[in-house]
Amino acid sequence: MPTLRSLFAALLAALAGPAVAHVTLEPAQAAAGGTHKLSFRVTHGCDGSATTAVVLRLPPGLQGAKPMPKPGWSLQTTRRPLAQAQERHGRRITDELAEVRWSGGPLPDAHVDEFSIVATLPAGGPAPLAFPLTQECEQGRLDWQDAPGSRAPAPVLRLQAPAGPAPHHPH
């Protein structure tokens, strides 16, 4: 039978592992077809080194995605062509946001910050959407792009069935 001391040691070892040091996504789930603010929380640097850039790659199918600027950080975006042009709000859309790069900072290892976008999620679901993210630091980098449960999982948004008609949203 395990002693209290061995149970306590096992608990400390579990808490000290790499599982607590990931980039997280708020919210973790959202209604398909709805417009949502998605915030990617960076909770640490690269082995103690300050974060100097965050590069977010968006999955295809997000509509009207727009990044939120951050004071003290520069913002660059990359767009990709749509396979087929779409009509949205009386406008012909031929491309979509593919990547957002926030650079500058720096964000010290001891601090936490969020990097956000606003986007309309795909109406189809309920497949989860993965958002691969690269965190560049003064020394080193972390690539958050693997499957959930791995050492470097990409932030994932679980889509839920819409609760009702989509609210009006400006683009």
Short mmCIF file of all heavy atoms in Angstrom, two decimals, residues 42 44-46 49-55 57 73 101-104 106-107 133-144:
data_model
loop_
_atom_site.label_atom_id
_atom_site.label_comp_id
_atom_site.label_asym_id
_atom_site.label_seq_id
_atom_site.Cartn_x
_atom_site.Cartn_y
_atom_site.Cartn_z
N VAL A 42 0.05 32.87 -23.90
CA VAL A 42 1.44 32.43 -23.80
C VAL A 42 1.82 32.57 -22.32
O VAL A 42 1.82 33.67 -21.79
CB VAL A 42 2.36 33.26 -24.71
CG1 VAL A 42 3.81 32.88 -24.53
CG2 VAL A 42 1.93 33.10 -26.17
N HIS A 44 4.74 31.27 -20.77
CA HIS A 44 6.16 31.19 -20.42
C HIS A 44 6.99 31.44 -21.67
O HIS A 44 6.48 31.41 -22.78
CB HIS A 44 6.50 29.82 -19.83
CG HIS A 44 6.25 28.70 -20.80
ND1 HIS A 44 7.14 28.35 -21.77
CD2 HIS A 44 5.18 27.89 -20.94
CE1 HIS A 44 6.63 27.34 -22.48
NE2 HIS A 44 5.44 27.05 -21.99
N GLY A 45 8.28 31.65 -21.46
CA GLY A 45 9.21 31.82 -22.58
C GLY A 45 9.81 30.48 -22.99
O GLY A 45 9.23 29.43 -22.73
N CYS A 46 10.96 30.53 -23.63
CA CYS A 46 11.67 29.32 -24.09
C CYS A 46 12.81 29.05 -23.12
O CYS A 46 13.84 29.73 -23.17
CB CYS A 46 12.23 29.54 -25.50
SG CYS A 46 11.02 30.05 -26.73
N SER A 49 13.97 32.15 -21.52
CA SER A 49 14.23 33.27 -22.44
C SER A 49 12.92 33.96 -22.82
O SER A 49 11.91 33.30 -23.05
CB SER A 49 14.93 32.72 -23.69
OG SER A 49 15.18 33.75 -24.60
N ALA A 50 12.94 35.28 -22.91
CA ALA A 50 11.74 36.07 -23.21
C ALA A 50 11.22 35.81 -24.63
O ALA A 50 11.99 35.60 -25.57
CB ALA A 50 12.05 37.56 -23.06
N THR A 51 9.89 35.83 -24.76
CA THR A 51 9.23 35.68 -26.06
C THR A 51 9.34 36.98 -26.84
O THR A 51 9.05 38.06 -26.31
CB THR A 51 7.75 35.30 -25.86
OG1 THR A 51 7.69 34.06 -25.14
CG2 THR A 51 7.01 35.16 -27.18
N THR A 52 9.74 36.89 -28.11
CA THR A 52 9.88 38.08 -28.96
C THR A 52 8.94 38.05 -30.17
O THR A 52 8.79 39.07 -30.84
CB THR A 52 11.32 38.22 -29.46
OG1 THR A 52 11.69 37.03 -30.16
CG2 THR A 52 12.28 38.46 -28.30
N ALA A 53 8.34 36.90 -30.46
CA ALA A 53 7.38 36.82 -31.57
C ALA A 53 6.45 35.63 -31.36
O ALA A 53 6.85 34.61 -30.79
CB ALA A 53 8.10 36.68 -32.92
N VAL A 54 5.22 35.80 -31.82
CA VAL A 54 4.22 34.74 -31.82
C VAL A 54 3.67 34.68 -33.24
O VAL A 54 3.20 35.69 -33.77
CB VAL A 54 3.10 35.02 -30.80
CG1 VAL A 54 1.97 34.02 -30.94
CG2 VAL A 54 3.66 35.02 -29.38
N VAL A 55 3.77 33.50 -33.87
CA VAL A 55 3.30 33.31 -35.24
C VAL A 55 2.17 32.29 -35.19
O VAL A 55 2.38 31.13 -34.84
CB VAL A 55 4.43 32.83 -36.17
CG1 VAL A 55 3.91 32.69 -37.59
CG2 VAL A 55 5.62 33.77 -36.11
N ARG A 57 -0.81 30.25 -37.20
CA ARG A 57 -1.29 29.78 -38.50
C ARG A 57 -2.75 29.39 -38.35
O ARG A 57 -3.08 28.53 -37.52
CB ARG A 57 -0.41 28.63 -39.00
CG ARG A 57 0.97 29.15 -39.41
CD ARG A 57 1.98 28.08 -39.72
NE ARG A 57 2.33 27.17 -38.65
CZ ARG A 57 3.06 27.48 -37.58
NH1 ARG A 57 3.51 28.70 -37.42
NH2 ARG A 57 3.36 26.57 -36.67
N TRP A 73 4.05 45.85 -29.91
CA TRP A 73 4.31 44.73 -30.82
C TRP A 73 3.93 45.16 -32.22
O TRP A 73 2.95 45.86 -32.42
CB TRP A 73 3.48 43.51 -30.43
CG TRP A 73 3.84 42.92 -29.10
CD1 TRP A 73 3.52 43.43 -27.87
CD2 TRP A 73 4.56 41.72 -28.87
NE1 TRP A 73 4.02 42.61 -26.89
CE2 TRP A 73 4.66 41.56 -27.47
CE3 TRP A 73 5.14 40.77 -29.69
CZ2 TRP A 73 5.31 40.48 -26.89
CZ3 TRP A 73 5.79 39.69 -29.10
CH2 TRP A 73 5.87 39.55 -27.72
N ARG A 101 1.55 37.36 -37.46
CA ARG A 101 2.82 37.41 -36.73
C ARG A 101 2.84 38.69 -35.88
O ARG A 101 2.79 39.79 -36.41
CB ARG A 101 3.99 37.42 -37.70
CG ARG A 101 5.34 37.54 -37.03
CD ARG A 101 6.48 37.62 -38.07
NE ARG A 101 7.75 37.77 -37.41
CZ ARG A 101 8.49 36.77 -36.95
NH1 ARG A 101 8.07 35.53 -37.11
NH2 ARG A 101 9.63 36.99 -36.35
N TRP A 102 2.89 38.49 -34.57
CA TRP A 102 3.10 39.59 -33.64
C TRP A 102 4.58 39.52 -33.26
O TRP A 102 5.07 38.47 -32.83
CB TRP A 102 2.27 39.41 -32.37
CG TRP A 102 0.79 39.54 -32.53
CD1 TRP A 102 0.05 40.69 -32.45
CD2 TRP A 102 -0.16 38.48 -32.75
NE1 TRP A 102 -1.28 40.41 -32.61
CE2 TRP A 102 -1.44 39.06 -32.79
CE3 TRP A 102 -0.05 37.10 -32.92
CZ2 TRP A 102 -2.60 38.31 -33.00
CZ3 TRP A 102 -1.20 36.36 -33.12
CH2 TRP A 102 -2.46 36.96 -33.16
N SER A 103 5.32 40.61 -33.39
CA SER A 103 6.73 40.60 -33.01
C SER A 103 7.05 41.88 -32.25
O SER A 103 6.42 42.90 -32.44
CB SER A 103 7.63 40.45 -34.24
OG SER A 103 7.41 41.48 -35.16
N GLY A 104 8.05 41.78 -31.42
CA GLY A 104 8.44 42.94 -30.62
C GLY A 104 8.58 42.53 -29.18
O GLY A 104 9.43 41.74 -28.83
N PRO A 106 9.72 42.65 -25.58
CA PRO A 106 9.60 41.22 -25.36
C PRO A 106 8.64 40.90 -24.21
O PRO A 106 8.33 41.76 -23.38
CB PRO A 106 11.02 40.79 -25.00
CG PRO A 106 11.61 41.97 -24.31
CD PRO A 106 10.97 43.17 -25.00
N LEU A 107 8.18 39.66 -24.18
CA LEU A 107 7.36 39.14 -23.09
C LEU A 107 8.27 38.29 -22.21
O LEU A 107 8.68 37.19 -22.60
CB LEU A 107 6.21 38.30 -23.66
CG LEU A 107 5.36 37.54 -22.65
CD1 LEU A 107 4.69 38.50 -21.66
CD2 LEU A 107 4.32 36.69 -23.37
N LEU A 133 1.07 27.13 -33.72
CA LEU A 133 1.62 28.40 -33.27
C LEU A 133 3.11 28.22 -33.00
O LEU A 133 3.51 27.21 -32.43
CB LEU A 133 0.87 28.82 -31.99
CG LEU A 133 1.19 30.18 -31.41
CD1 LEU A 133 -0.09 30.81 -30.87
CD2 LEU A 133 2.21 30.08 -30.30
N THR A 134 3.91 29.20 -33.45
CA THR A 134 5.34 29.20 -33.16
C THR A 134 5.62 30.36 -32.22
O THR A 134 5.18 31.49 -32.46
CB THR A 134 6.17 29.34 -34.45
OG1 THR A 134 5.91 28.20 -35.28
CG2 THR A 134 7.65 29.42 -34.15
N GLN A 135 6.35 30.06 -31.17
CA GLN A 135 6.76 31.05 -30.18
C GLN A 135 8.27 31.24 -30.34
O GLN A 135 9.04 30.32 -30.12
CB GLN A 135 6.41 30.52 -28.79
CG GLN A 135 6.78 31.40 -27.65
CD GLN A 135 6.41 30.75 -26.32
OE1 GLN A 135 5.85 29.67 -26.26
NE2 GLN A 135 6.77 31.43 -25.25
N GLU A 136 8.68 32.43 -30.79
CA GLU A 136 10.10 32.73 -30.96
C GLU A 136 10.57 33.51 -29.74
O GLU A 136 9.87 34.38 -29.23
CB GLU A 136 10.33 33.55 -32.23
CG GLU A 136 9.91 32.81 -33.49
CD GLU A 136 10.00 33.66 -34.75
OE1 GLU A 136 10.42 34.83 -34.67
OE2 GLU A 136 9.62 33.14 -35.81
N CYS A 137 11.77 33.18 -29.28
CA CYS A 137 12.31 33.80 -28.08
C CYS A 137 13.68 34.40 -28.35
O CYS A 137 14.27 34.17 -29.40
CB CYS A 137 12.40 32.76 -26.96
SG CYS A 137 10.78 32.09 -26.49
N GLU A 138 14.16 35.19 -27.38
CA GLU A 138 15.50 35.77 -27.52
C GLU A 138 16.52 34.66 -27.76
O GLU A 138 17.47 34.84 -28.51
CB GLU A 138 15.86 36.59 -26.28
CG GLU A 138 15.05 37.87 -26.19
CD GLU A 138 15.25 38.64 -24.89
OE1 GLU A 138 15.71 38.04 -23.88
OE2 GLU A 138 14.93 39.83 -24.88
N GLN A 139 16.30 33.52 -27.13
CA GLN A 139 17.14 32.34 -27.34
C GLN A 139 16.22 31.14 -27.52
O GLN A 139 15.59 30.71 -26.57
CB GLN A 139 18.08 32.11 -26.16
CG GLN A 139 19.08 33.22 -25.97
CD GLN A 139 19.98 32.99 -24.77
OE1 GLN A 139 19.75 32.13 -23.95
NE2 GLN A 139 21.02 33.79 -24.68
N GLY A 140 16.13 30.66 -28.75
CA GLY A 140 15.34 29.46 -29.01
C GLY A 140 13.94 29.76 -29.51
O GLY A 140 13.57 30.91 -29.73
N ARG A 141 13.18 28.68 -29.69
CA ARG A 141 11.80 28.78 -30.15
C ARG A 141 11.06 27.52 -29.75
O ARG A 141 11.66 26.47 -29.52
CB ARG A 141 11.71 29.00 -31.64
CG ARG A 141 12.19 27.82 -32.45
CD ARG A 141 12.24 28.08 -33.93
NE ARG A 141 11.03 27.57 -34.58
CZ ARG A 141 10.67 27.90 -35.78
NH1 ARG A 141 11.39 28.73 -36.50
NH2 ARG A 141 9.59 27.40 -36.32
N LEU A 142 9.74 27.64 -29.68
CA LEU A 142 8.87 26.50 -29.39
C LEU A 142 7.83 26.43 -30.49
O LEU A 142 7.21 27.44 -30.83
CB LEU A 142 8.19 26.68 -28.03
CG LEU A 142 9.13 26.68 -26.82
CD1 LEU A 142 8.38 27.12 -25.57
CD2 LEU A 142 9.73 25.29 -26.62
N ASP A 143 7.65 25.23 -31.06
CA ASP A 143 6.64 25.01 -32.10
C ASP A 143 5.49 24.22 -31.50
O ASP A 143 5.64 23.03 -31.20
CB ASP A 143 7.25 24.26 -33.28
CG ASP A 143 8.26 25.12 -34.02
OD1 ASP A 143 7.88 26.22 -34.46
OD2 ASP A 143 9.42 24.70 -34.14
N TRP A 144 4.37 24.89 -31.29
CA TRP A 144 3.16 24.28 -30.73
C TRP A 144 2.31 23.82 -31.91
O TRP A 144 1.46 24.55 -32.38
CB TRP A 144 2.43 25.29 -29.86
CG TRP A 144 3.28 25.85 -28.76
CD1 TRP A 144 3.93 27.05 -28.76
CD2 TRP A 144 3.62 25.22 -27.54
NE1 TRP A 144 4.64 27.20 -27.60
CE2 TRP A 144 4.46 26.09 -26.82
CE3 TRP A 144 3.28 23.98 -26.96
CZ2 TRP A 144 4.97 25.78 -25.57
CZ3 TRP A 144 3.79 23.69 -25.71
CH2 TRP A 144 4.62 24.58 -25.03
#
